[in-house]
Amino acid sequence: MSSPLADDVRPLRLGVILPSVNTVVEPWFSRTLPTDINLHAARMLIPPTLSPESIIEMDRSEGTLAVRQMASCRPAVIGYCCTASSVVQGQAYDAHLRQEIERETGAKATTATHAILSALSALKARRVVIVSPYTDDIDAMEHHFFADAGLDVVGSANLSITDTFHLAEPGKAQIVTLARHGWRPEADALIITCLNLHSHFAVGQLERELGKPVISSTTSMLWHMLRLAGRADQVEGYGRLLTLHAA
C-alpha cells in the first residue's frame, strides 16, 4: 500500500496561537511558507473592543487552552501571535509566556515582541520608529515596552483603531502613509506592529523609500519561527529581514 504522503516525507509543522479576530496570519503564512512546511492554528476569543483589559482577559481565559490544543498536533515551533499581549503586560510576562509554552508543549516558542527584538538584533538596529493601528493607551505602553528592552524610540504614529476585527482593515496605502507620518531619518529601522495588520505588503516599498530596514510583527514572526525551526529559507518580496539567515 502506498504512503499517504509522497515519498513518505513528513512536513515540518509550525503552530500559531491567534486572537479569534485575526484574519491575516493564516492566509499569508500559508501562502508564503515553503511547501514542505504546514501551518496549524489555535484561536483565543477576544472581546470586540481593543483595550489593555480585553487583551489581558483573552490571555488569562483563553491562552492556556489554546496552548494545550496546539501541543496536541506537536509542532516544532509555536508563535504566540498577539503583539499587544506582551506590550500591555511587560517584559517579565513575555519571558514567562515563552517559558510556559515550551514547558507545556516541548516546542520552541516565540512571541511577536521577542521576534521583533530578535530581528532588530540581527539587523543591528537600536534607534527605531514604531507605528501601529493601536489605540493611544496601547501605543504608549508599546513605547515603554520597547524602551525597557533597550531601544531608543525616536518617532511614532498610530491609527487609534478600537475595534479588534477592524485592525485588519487598513490597506497598503494607509499603512505607507502612517509609516511616513511617524518616520524620523535618524532611526536605524522602522517597526510596524500588530499581527492582524497587512503590514508585510508595505515593507518593500517603505524600505525603498526610507533606505532603512523595515520590519513588522508579521514578517518578524514568520522569519523567527523559520529560524527557530532550523530553516534558512529566504522569502523574497517582503523586505531584507526575510532574506537574513541568522536568528
Side-chain angles (χ1 to χ4, degrees):
M1 182 180 294
S2 62
S3 168
L5 295 174
D7 300 323
D8 203 30
V9 173
R10 300 291 170 176
L12 176 70
R13 292 183 297 275
L14 300 181
V16 289
I17 296 173
L18 305 168
S20 56
V21 296
N22 190 295
T23 57
V24 173
V25 168
E26 286 170 288
W28 184 62
F29 278 32
S30 295
R31 287 195 304 267
T32 307
L33 285 168
T35 56
D36 63 336
I37 300 178
N38 287 347
L39 184 74
H40 304 277
R43 289 179 175 263
M44 305 176 290
L45 186 64
I46 186 171
T49 301
L50 182 66
S51 69
E53 293 76 20
S54 67
I55 293 164
I56 292 170
E57 178 185 340
M58 175 193 71
D59 287 331
R60 291 182 178 174
S61 64
E62 301 275 329
T64 300
L65 177 59
V67 169
R68 289 175 178 169
Q69 290 174 339
M70 181 52 60
S72 67
C73 73
R74 302 181 185 179
V77 179
I78 293 174
Y80 197 89
C81 293
C82 182
T83 316
S85 290
S86 298
V87 162
V88 165
Q89 297 175 84
Q91 297 282 337
Y93 168 82
D94 184 80
H96 178 72
L97 175 61
R98 285 182 278 117
Q99 291 167 359
E100 284 298 295
I101 293 173
E102 291 184 347
R103 182 187 62 80
E104 184 73 30
T105 68
K108 295 180 180 178
T110 189
T111 62
T113 52
H114 185 57
I116 289 169
L117 291 170
S118 298
L120 291 170
S121 177
L123 291 163
K124 297 180 171 57
R126 192 185 67 82
R127 292 188 308 276
V128 298
V129 167
I130 304 173
V131 300
S132 80
Y134 295 142
T135 58
D136 290 343
D137 55 348
I138 295 176
D139 183 66
M141 291 177 176
E142 188 163 70
H143 293 186
H144 177 77
F145 181 94
F146 285 110
D148 191 46
L151 301 182
D152 183 7
V153 181
V154 298
S156 68
N158 63 297
L159 294 174
S160 299
I161 295 174
T162 58
D163 186 302
T164 53
F165 181 77
H166 291 158
L167 291 168
E169 282 195 349
K172 177 181 175 181
Q174 188 175 1
I175 296 168
V176 168
T177 299
L178 176 72
R180 289 171 180 161
H181 180 67
W183 180 247
R184 299 293 181 270
E186 65 269 27
D188 300 322
L190 171 70
I191 305 170
I192 311 172
T193 59
C194 184
L195 275 144
N196 199 25
L197 182 72
H198 294 279
S199 52
H200 38 281
F201 294 128
V203 168
Q205 177 180 338
L206 286 167
E207 284 196 340
R208 291 190 294 272
E209 286 189 16
L210 304 177
K212 299 285 180 70
V214 177
I215 66 170
S216 74
S217 291
T218 49
T219 60
S220 58
M221 179 63 81
L222 182 66
W223 170 80
H224 202 219
M225 290 182 72
L226 283 169
R227 300 306 177 255
L228 287 176
R231 297 288 295 245
D233 305 85
Q234 295 191 12
V235 180
E236 301 291 341
Y238 300 101
R240 68 182 72 177
L241 174 66
L242 280 163
T243 67
L244 291 180
H245 287 290

